[in-house]
């Protein structure tokens, strides 16, 4: 399918870059077998206190524990920002930065899900997750850009520090410390 071809191309572009940042999920092999796309990549840590293996993702942590402490939120955001910078330096954009796509490997956050990664020069198709896409994506003037990734990083930080969904922005919980 066209979607599978696009995803395969994105992952192949992402693979060499994934080894240039400690905060990008490393992909070792990608292929298609019996018309199914598969990846060999770093394994996520198991989610604590789970009877079955569930990958430890930022989304799961927010779901289970609510918002994270500001210092932890800043640490995660800085590390994921570093990963995004590595992609942008390689002229790639991620196009789907969100808590579900931040996984923990050996306790460190890593940006994952490279299937939508594309060249920053080829951003014809609008893709991503509602709530993390900037308003200009819906004006018909712009598609995904490096600035779209930056916008999504801001929404990611908002979710981490408030525990709220991205659609609630700019709402701030009443019990949120003014120091934040």
């Amino acid at each position: 399918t066209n979607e599978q071809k696009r995803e395969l191309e994105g992952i192949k572009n992402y693979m060499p870059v994934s080894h240039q940042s400690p905060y990008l999920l490393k992909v070792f092999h990608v292929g298609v077998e019996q018309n199914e796309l598969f990846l060999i990549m770093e394994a996520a840590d198991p989610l604590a206190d789970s009877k079955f293996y569930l990958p430890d993702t930022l989304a799961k942590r927010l779901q289970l524990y609510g918002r994270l402490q500001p210092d932890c939120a800043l640490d995660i955001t800085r590390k994921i920002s570093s990963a995004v910078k590595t992609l942008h330096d390689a002229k790639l954009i991620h196009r789907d930065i969100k808590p579900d796509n931040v996984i923990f490997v050996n306790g460190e956050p890593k940006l994952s899900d490279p299937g939508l990664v594309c060249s920053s020069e080829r951003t014809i198709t609008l893709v991503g997750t509602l709530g993390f896409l900037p308003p200009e994506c819906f004006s018909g003037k712009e598609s995904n850009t490096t600035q779209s990734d930056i916008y999504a990083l801001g929404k990611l930080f908002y979710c981490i520090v408030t525990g709220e969904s991205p659609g609630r922005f700019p709402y701030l919980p009443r019990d949120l410390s003014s120091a934040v």
Side-chain angles (χ1 to χ4, degrees):
T1 68
N2 284 340
E3 185 177 322
Q4 190 180 55
K5 286 178 186 175
R6 183 189 71 214
E7 192 168 344
L8 182 61
E9 181 182 334
I11 295 166
K12 284 183 176 181
N13 288 333
Y14 171 88
M15 280 177 61
V17 178
S18 75
H19 296 269
Q20 296 175 16
S21 170
Y23 307 112
L24 287 171
L25 183 70
K26 289 176 184 42
V27 175
F28 304 109
H29 183 75
V30 62
V32 177
E33 188 67 40
Q34 297 179 0
N35 291 321
E36 293 294 326
L37 184 68
F38 72 92
L39 304 172
I40 299 173
M41 59 190 174
E42 292 180 286
D45 297 340
L47 189 64
D49 304 324
S50 178
K51 292 180 183 179
F52 305 100
Y53 173 78
L54 289 172
D56 186 4
T57 68
L58 182 56
K60 284 286 183 202
R61 287 186 182 190
L62 293 171
Q63 179 184 13
L64 292 173
Y65 312 118
R67 66 178 172 245
L68 303 183
Q69 291 300 313
D71 59 337
C72 182
L74 278 171
D75 183 58
I76 290 170
T77 304
R78 283 182 181 125
K79 289 174 178 177
I80 298 303
S81 295
S82 164
V84 171
K85 181 181 183 321
T86 300
L87 288 174
H88 290 179
D89 287 349
K91 305 234 183 294
L92 297 173
I93 55 176
H94 188 274
R95 304 195 302 170
D96 203 18
I97 298 166
K98 60 184 179 181
D100 295 289
N101 290 340
V102 176
I103 68 167
F104 293 87
V105 177
N106 299 318
E108 290 292 342
K110 295 194 176 217
L111 186 58
S112 68
D113 197 9
L116 297 180
V117 169
C118 75
S119 166
S120 58
E121 295 152 8
R122 191 173 157 244
T123 60
I124 304 162
T125 308
L126 174 64
V127 295
T129 300
L130 286 176
F132 294 91
L133 293 170
E136 57 269 18
C137 284
F138 303 100
S139 68
K141 296 176 186 168
E142 297 229 7
S143 196
N144 298 96
T145 64
T146 54
Q147 290 84 3
S148 299
D149 278 353
I150 303 303
Y151 181 87
L153 278 168
K155 286 290 194 97
L156 180 79
F157 179 70
Y158 170 80
C159 294
I160 301 169
V161 81
T162 65
E164 298 291 333
S165 68
R168 300 268 300 167
F169 180 82
Y171 167 78
L172 297 175
R174 288 185 178 169
D175 63 342
L176 188 66
S177 166
S178 61
V180 174

